[in-house]
């Protein structure tokens, strides 16, 4: 199970950041946990595309109205404050804390930044909108590995150029991916947060798993990253490889 591999069961909140499968991970965790009798709430603190009709969407700017709907729901519900340009408008961290603390709620999973479907990114100063507690899962897509840095596989190339002196076309080796993640203006800002896990997605083939394993080894050189999980979230049967320091 993805939840077990990530260590979700030790937390009531899970924040998904990065690129390469956050939304897929969010709905997979919801489906998985609901299947074992857990009551799950889904959210975003930024913006995310409107989900399929299979996932009930609760939109309201009044927290108490949202609370009543969530408590009455028999399956996972995605909450937001509205829809603009086909995207769900996120909720503040005060809502995340309130909803996660409701009696009977077992898990709240939320997206804390966007990536415009890119497998890797360098976050802007104002993101992620992480609420400061629970499990922080850094998601990245294996499809970025050993590809040249460019807008087709990386969000905010200008920040990688500015902070790391990279140029367009620079090969995204495992060491380079680690360098991007570790930068103090990137996700390295969470070096002192005790609950950070990395999820490498898009490991669809046996060769992908091998390459992902090598990348996991490089990422685990970061002392603040305790575990790396490798998977293919689009597979019919999601299987996870776990790497720990």
């Amino acid at each position: 199970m993805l939840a077990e591999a990530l260590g979700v069961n030790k937390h009531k909140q899970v924040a998904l950041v990065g690129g390469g499968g956050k939304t897929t991970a969010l709905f997979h965790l919801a489906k998985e946990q609901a299947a074992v009798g857990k009551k799950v709430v889904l959210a975003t603190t930024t913006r995310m595309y409107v989900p399929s009709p299979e996932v009930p969407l609760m939109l309201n700017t009044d927290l108490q109205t949202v609370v009543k709907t969530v408590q009455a729901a028999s399956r996972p519900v995605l909450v937001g404050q509205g829809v603009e340009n086909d995207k769900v408008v996120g909720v503040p961290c005060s809502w995340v804390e309130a909803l996660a603390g409701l009696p009977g709620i077992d898990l709240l999973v939320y997206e804390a930044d966007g990536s415009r479907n890119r497998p890797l990114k360098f976050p802007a100063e104002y993101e992620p909108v992480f609420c400061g507690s629970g499990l922080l899962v850094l998601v990245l897509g294996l499809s970025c590995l050993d590809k040249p840095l460019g807008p087709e596989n990386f969000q905010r190339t200008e920040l990688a150029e500015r902070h790391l002196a990279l140029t367009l076309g620079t090969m995204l080796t495992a060491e380079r991916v680690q360098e991007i993640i570790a930068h103090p203006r990137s996700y390295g800002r969470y070096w002192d947060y005790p609950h950070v896990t990395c999820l490498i997605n898009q490991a669809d083939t046996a060769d992908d798993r091998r390459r992902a394993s090598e990348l996991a080894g490089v990422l685990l050189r970061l002392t603040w990253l305790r575990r790396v999980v490798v998977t293919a979230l689009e597979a019919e049967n999601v299987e996870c490889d776990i790497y720990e320091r």
Side-chain angles (χ1 to χ4, degrees):
M1 292 179 69
L2 179 62
E4 183 178 354
L6 292 173
V8 165
N9 293 334
K10 299 177 182 178
H11 305 275
K12 287 204 69 174
Q13 294 180 33
V14 176
L16 300 168
V17 301
K22 290 191 306 295
T23 301
T24 305
L26 179 137
F27 291 124
H28 186 87
L29 284 171
K31 181 179 179 180
E32 193 179 80
Q33 293 296 278
V36 295
K38 300 289 184 68
K39 189 157 185 176
V40 184
V41 180
L42 307 175
T44 175
T45 51
T46 53
R47 296 187 178 219
M48 64 180 289
Y49 285 107
V50 176
S52 68
E54 298 175 1
V55 180
L57 186 58
M58 174 59 199
L59 301 173
N60 206 294
T61 56
D62 178 61
L63 175 58
Q64 294 310 311
T65 300
V66 173
V67 165
K68 291 178 182 178
T69 300
V70 165
Q71 289 180 317
S74 59
R75 55 178 175 156
V77 176
L78 175 64
V79 302
Q81 297 195 87
V83 173
E84 292 181 3
N85 299 321
D86 296 324
K87 288 190 174 184
V88 177
V89 178
V91 302
C93 282
S94 59
W95 283 35
V96 169
E97 298 292 341
L99 292 170
L102 289 175
I105 300 300
D106 298 298
L107 180 66
L108 187 146
V109 187
Y110 66 99
E111 284 193 21
D113 65 5
S115 65
R116 297 190 178 180
N117 296 318
R118 305 303 194 270
L120 186 62
K121 67 176 290 184
F122 195 112
E125 290 185 3
Y126 55 83
E127 60 178 358
V129 185
F130 173 50
C131 299
S133 61
L135 179 66
L136 180 62
V137 179
L138 170 58
V139 185
L140 64 90
L142 188 67
S143 61
C144 72
L145 188 64
D146 298 323
K147 299 290 178 58
L149 175 68
E152 67 282 354
N153 59 22
F154 194 96
Q155 188 189 22
R156 298 200 175 88
T157 56
E158 70 282 2
L159 295 182
E161 293 176 282
R162 180 189 310 165
H163 298 305
L164 290 162
L166 301 183
T167 58
L168 294 179
T170 297
M171 198 61 66
L172 293 172
T173 62
E175 288 74 15
R176 192 68 75 188
V177 171
Q178 186 225 51
E179 183 182 1
I180 291 167
I181 289 172
H183 193 280
R185 290 184 179 270
S186 181
Y187 298 105
R189 70 184 76 173
Y190 298 111
W191 67 271
D192 61 345
Y193 188 71
H195 307 297
V196 185
T197 292
C198 180
L199 176 63
I200 301 176
N201 186 32
Q202 303 174 342
D204 301 309
T205 67
D207 186 59
D208 287 339
R209 293 270 174 161
R210 177 190 60 78
R211 295 169 62 237
S213 174
E214 294 173 356
L215 175 58
V218 173
L219 294 178
L220 284 171
R221 295 173 191 168
L222 301 173
T223 57
W224 48 270
L225 193 58
R226 305 291 178 174
R227 176 182 293 190
V228 176
V229 176
V230 173
T231 193
L233 291 172
E234 298 292 348
E236 184 174 345
N237 296 309
V238 173
E239 297 181 354
C240 299
D241 298 331
I242 301 172
Y243 301 88
E244 295 180 301
R245 58 172 51 259

